[in-house]
């Protein structure tokens, strides 16, 4: 990609320096927040959960997906969405306010998915967590609310294609191909390819929370989001 697509040098160096300080010292959340530059965004708006919104999400569930530790198949919430949508809404609101989750929602069945090479080596498998349907719905609501906040304040780069609505690896490949074809018009194109090994497995949670707080997600919102990715127990399913 062109060099103009890179982050401005001072801001890039500041981000890397702050990240290294937090990671090396394993500083608590409050210290990581003080190390970072002043937050560029206003606080995130209050998350309001409604029964009609939950009903809509329940009806969109894939009935063929595997169930979680509660052993409740997806067919049940799909077929009873209208009658049962009010109860999850109250539990979701209470969980976000207190920063806690029901016990069953904090359990996960780990299903190992083979990636490549030797099947007898554990590191060649990718763990996939199967959680309760209610917990998945809450995660979806939280992610949507966070992305709306980040989009409203233009936090995410326009070059970001992963995990963005309407964008994917295909759109990224199209943009890259377009940049490469500009060589024929006399343009200078530089390419840097990075591959982070097990990136999603090695992100320190305390550092992630500090970044969320930096972008206006703090207070009760941060406490509730923090609870959404902390599990008490997990078990591997063969």
């Amino acid at each position: 990609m062109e060099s103009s697509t890179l982050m401005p040098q001072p801001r890039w160096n500041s981000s890397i320096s702050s990240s290294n300080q937090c990671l090396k010292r394993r500083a608590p959340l409050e210290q990581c927040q003080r190390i970072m530059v002043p937050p560029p965004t206003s606080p995130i708006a209050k998350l309001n959960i409604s029964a009609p919104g939950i009903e809509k999400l329940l009806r969109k569930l894939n009935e063929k997906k595997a169930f979680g530790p509660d052993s409740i198949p997806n067919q049940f919430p799909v077929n009873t969405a209208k009658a049962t949508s009010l109860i999850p809404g109250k539990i979701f609101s209470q969980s976000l306010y207190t920063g806690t989750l029901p016990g069953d929602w904090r359990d996960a069945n780990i299903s190992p998915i083979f990636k490549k090479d030797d099947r007898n080596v554990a590191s060649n498998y990718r763990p996939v967590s199967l959680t309760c349907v209610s917990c998945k719905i809450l995660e979806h609501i939280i992610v949507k609310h966070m992305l709306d906040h980040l989009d409203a304040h233009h936090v995410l780069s326009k070059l970001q294609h992963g995990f963005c609505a309407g964008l994917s690896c295909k759109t990224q490949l199209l943009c890259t191909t377009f940049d490469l074809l500009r060589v024929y018009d006399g343009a200078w194109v530089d390419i840097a390819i990075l591959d982070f090994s097990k990136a999603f497995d090695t992100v320190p949670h305390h550092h992630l929370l500090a970044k969320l707080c930096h972008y206006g997600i703090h207070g009760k919102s941060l406490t509730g989001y923090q609870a959404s990715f902390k599990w008490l127990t997990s078990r591997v399913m063969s």
Side-chain angles (χ1 to χ4, degrees):
M1 304 292 281
E2 292 183 82
S3 58
S4 60
T5 62
L6 295 177
M7 194 180 285
Q9 191 67 20
R11 183 179 175 186
W12 177 259
N13 289 339
S14 174
S15 299
I16 294 297
S17 177
S18 299
S19 300
N20 289 339
Q21 291 184 55
C22 287
L23 291 175
K24 288 180 180 179
R25 295 162 44 195
R26 293 197 62 81
L29 177 58
E30 294 78 8
Q31 294 183 23
C32 289
Q33 294 167 1
R34 290 196 296 268
I35 291 174
M36 294 181 179
V37 296
T41 59
S42 58
I44 191 171
K46 181 181 178 181
L47 175 56
N48 295 315
I49 300 177
S50 64
I54 294 178
E55 179 184 349
K56 183 178 179 180
L57 292 176
L58 290 175
R59 293 190 183 279
K60 289 184 177 181
L61 290 174
N62 188 342
E63 299 183 20
K64 297 181 180 180
K65 289 292 185 69
F67 51 79
D70 57 2
S71 299
I72 299 177
N74 285 0
Q75 291 89 339
F76 177 77
V78 169
N79 295 329
T80 61
K82 188 174 183 62
T84 60
S85 59
L86 183 62
I87 298 176
K90 293 183 177 180
I91 299 177
F92 292 164
S93 298
Q94 184 69 13
S95 295
L96 292 175
Y97 180 79
T98 61
T100 59
L101 292 175
D104 289 345
W105 295 8
R106 301 178 67 181
D107 294 340
N109 293 336
I110 307 298
S111 180
I113 306 298
F114 178 71
K115 295 186 298 183
K116 59 180 181 179
D117 298 334
D118 190 354
R119 290 183 176 271
N120 296 318
V121 179
S123 60
N124 291 334
Y125 288 80
R126 176 170 59 91
V128 175
S129 299
L130 300 177
T131 57
C132 300
V133 173
S134 299
C135 188
K136 293 178 182 178
I137 295 293
L138 178 58
E139 288 179 354
H140 177 86
I141 294 174
I142 290 175
V143 171
K144 179 64 167 59
H145 187 57
M146 291 175 58
L147 288 178
D148 289 345
H149 171 75
L150 297 177
D151 288 341
H153 293 87
H154 309 289
V155 173
L156 298 179
S157 170
K158 294 181 179 180
L159 304 175
Q160 171 73 27
H161 288 251
F163 307 102
C164 291
L167 300 176
S168 64
C169 294
K170 293 181 180 179
T171 58
Q172 177 70 82
L173 183 59
L174 288 173
C175 291
T176 303
T177 303
F178 176 78
D179 288 338
L180 292 175
L181 291 176
R182 293 178 61 191
V183 173
Y184 293 100
D185 297 329
W188 184 276
V189 179
D190 296 323
I191 299 178
I193 300 176
L194 301 177
D195 184 15
F196 295 97
S197 177
K198 300 182 180 180
F200 290 100
D201 300 333
T202 55
V203 174
H205 284 177
H206 71 284
H207 186 59
L208 177 59
L209 292 173
K211 294 292 289 187
L212 291 177
C213 187
H214 176 68
Y215 287 112
I217 304 173
H218 45 67
K220 288 294 183 182
S221 297
L222 183 65
T223 303
Y225 300 160
Q226 183 177 2
S228 67
F229 57 73
K230 282 190 174 181
W231 309 114
L232 284 178
T233 59
S234 61
R235 52 182 177 269
V236 178
M237 310 297 292
S238 58

